[in-house]
Amino acid sequence: MTPGQALACREWDGEAVLYNDLSGSTHLLDGAALDLLYALRDQPADAAALAARLADQFDAGDDDLVSLIDDMLATLAGLDLIESC
């Protein structure tokens, strides 16, 4: 997450509405994206490290999972919910 950012979140039925106080934007995320965002809040990591951490929560093979997480990271960065470090 971006330093100084506070995200307000409401979850139901595997989806979440997320409000970003820095941008003023509201986003609809699926459960997988929210799991990824929470994992990054706990500790920054690249796609491979996140895949190892989240393997039990995602239904994909190792290579597919790294690719999926890499795509999700790009999407979250495009929404200004995370930034590279």
Side-chain angles (χ1 to χ4, degrees), residues 5-84:
Q5 181 180 50
L7 300 174
C9 181
R10 297 290 181 257
E11 299 176 59
W12 67 95
D13 296 329
E15 293 184 324
V17 174
L18 195 68
Y19 173 74
N20 181 345
D21 71 327
L22 290 181
S23 69
S25 297
T26 302
H27 307 283
L28 178 63
L29 300 178
D30 64 16
L34 194 60
D35 288 344
L36 186 60
L37 195 58
Y38 286 151
L40 287 169
R41 178 182 63 187
D42 294 338
Q43 180 180 4
D46 63 10
L50 287 164
R53 258 196 261 168
L54 299 171
D56 293 341
Q57 296 173 2
F58 288 84
D59 185 27
D62 290 342
D63 292 336
D64 293 334
L65 185 54
V66 171
S67 178
L68 173 68
I69 288 176
D70 200 37
D71 291 345
M72 291 171 62
L73 290 172
T75 298
L76 292 173
L79 297 173
D80 294 323
L81 295 173
I82 62 170
E83 63 181 24
S84 298

